[in-house]
Amino acid sequence: MKSSRFLLLLLGVLLLIPSSEQMVQCRYTKNLTNRADGGDEHCLFYYLLNREYEDSGNVHSLSTFPPRSDEMKITIENVLVKYVELVKGSSYQFNVFGDIYLNWKDERLKWDKKGEFENYDHLYIFNSSAIWTPHVIDHTLCADGGCSYSVDDIDIYDDGTVYARIQFKYQASCVVDYRKFPEEDDSCCIFFTAFEPNVLKTQFEIEGKSKEKLNRPVYAQKVYEKEESLNKAAQEHSPWVVVERSISVSHLGGLETLEVLQVCVKAEKQMSTVRVALLFPVTLATYVMLASPLFGDLRTQIFVKLFTLHVQTLCFLYLCTITPLNGFLGVRPRIYIFYEIVFTISFCSILVTLVVMALSRVKRNVPPSHRLFLSAKLINRVVCCIEPERTDAYHRFVEEETNPEARPTSEVNDSVIRRGAELDYTQDWRHIYLALNNMFSALMFSVFLFMTFLEFF
């Protein structure tokens, strides 16, 4: 019992005795009582602060004013995009969360490694407001207070180089390219500036990769109920996917003294199912329409083309239902151009077939060119496997006799070939008309095949 009490008493004494680091105070803090650093920084920092205080006479000079130089160079090591979400109430504006890893040179933070602090290669700063840091911020879209900005992980090396990490959340300025609707592209940029009133020129230098491929979903903000716990609610993602991050430097308004760091993300709306639903049925129906000469006579071709036109109209109405209410900002999407060409081809194909049907009813007594007739017959029989039949319903002469029953039976049967002393070449001309219809369908089929290749590949 006595031994246990002795151990407890000894432990209490040890707890009451301050540690050696607490007892030994840094001698450079005696003149810096007006600063609210809390004494958390290392003694090396107070050595640098005291030295700057002796030079400038201002105890807040190291944390308030930039380095004494006319030109400030900020090196951007990397920009990391961690999280992207849709702005509430918008379908294409993004909030971007990320980190900027940067460094700059501050001559006031140098120290001699041969002296008192020879064992220190670098100095970590716990309080980011203890030293001056560049204000790399975006002033454009933060009027509503929805942005955040903080500087962390400040590390100083003996040559005065300061490394830091900026955590930011900014609303990006986005521009949508509607030409690829419904899988349009969205380019969103944040414009960072580092304007300092006491520095004549601020220069950005990109050290890392200017472009980086990404594959990160864009999440949609969800309105949660008060009773619903956030850890149980699943995060919903939007159709947008960030595919690229790029960094570039430009001059603001042509001013050489003020540079802008542009951090841009490129997102693509990946809706392959909707795209297939809009393109595949209308493409297949158009191919069937242009191959209608293989189905039989002209009347059958007309029925096939009218049915395919009905399918094309249904697909276009579905496209109109998913069109944004605010339109496409004066841009005509490629899929609308595709539908315009499809309807144009369908109208021309139906019109040509109707004209050919009308010409086939007109009786012809003048023979066509023999070579033209043979070429037309070759196209109809060999290529399209079709030729005009005398029993087709649309074969009707324009000039009809008033009383065909009064004619002899043999003369009625031979009336298709001759009428009185005149020969009838109507069937020969029908071959030519039908060949023209088939050749037009083949030409449109080739054009549409090339157009489909451009659209899909």
Side-chain angles (χ1 to χ4, degrees), residues 84-87 90-96 138 140-141 170-178 185-191 218 240 242 263-267 329:
V84 182
E85 69 178 10
L86 282 173
V87 175
S90 176
S91 60
Y92 65 92
Q93 295 287 346
F94 296 161
N95 287 326
V96 181
D138 184 1
T140 54
L141 297 175
Y170 284 111
Q171 179 179 339
S173 177
C174 300
V175 177
V176 183
D177 184 7
Y178 286 108
D185 296 337
D186 195 0
S187 298
C188 300
C189 294
I190 304 174
F191 304 94
V218 176
W240 295 101
V242 178
V263 178
C264 301
V265 294
K266 181 182 178 181
L329 303 178

Side-chain angles (χ1 to χ4, degrees), residues 251-265:
H251 295 279
L252 182 61
L255 299 176
E256 294 294 332
T257 58
L258 187 58
E259 292 187 345
V260 178
L261 176 66
Q262 299 183 16
V263 178
C264 301
V265 294

Side-chain angles (χ1 to χ4, degrees), residues 409-426:
T409 305
S410 60
E411 187 178 352
V412 173
N413 293 335
D414 296 337
S415 63
V416 180
I417 301 177
R418 67 172 61 240
R419 183 170 184 166
E422 298 178 357
L423 294 178
D424 186 6
Y425 295 99
T426 304

Side-chain angles (χ1 to χ4, degrees), residues 339-356:
Y339 269 84
E340 291 175 1
I341 297 176
V342 164
F343 280 114
T344 302
I345 292 176
S346 301
F347 173 77
C348 293
S349 179
I350 294 175
L351 182 62
V352 168
T353 304
L354 289 176
V355 171
V356 169

Side-chain angles (χ1 to χ4, degrees), residues 100-104 151-155 162-166:
I100 300 177
Y101 295 88
L102 70 163
N103 67 76
W104 66 94
V151 182
D152 300 303
D153 299 337
I154 301 177
D155 205 359
V162 184
Y163 294 86
R165 175 173 63 99
I166 296 178

Side-chain angles (χ1 to χ4, degrees), residues 5 24-25 33 55 64 73 77 81 101 105 119 140 143 152 184 215 217 235 248 313 326 353 391 441:
R5 290 179 181 177
V24 179
Q25 293 184 355
T33 55
D55 294 340
T64 306
K73 185 174 74 173
E77 299 178 358
V81 177
Y101 295 88
K105 202 71 173 291
N119 295 327
T140 54
D152 300 303
E184 54 264 37
N215 187 12
Q235 182 69 284
S248 61
T313 305
N326 54 354
T353 304
T391 58
S441 296

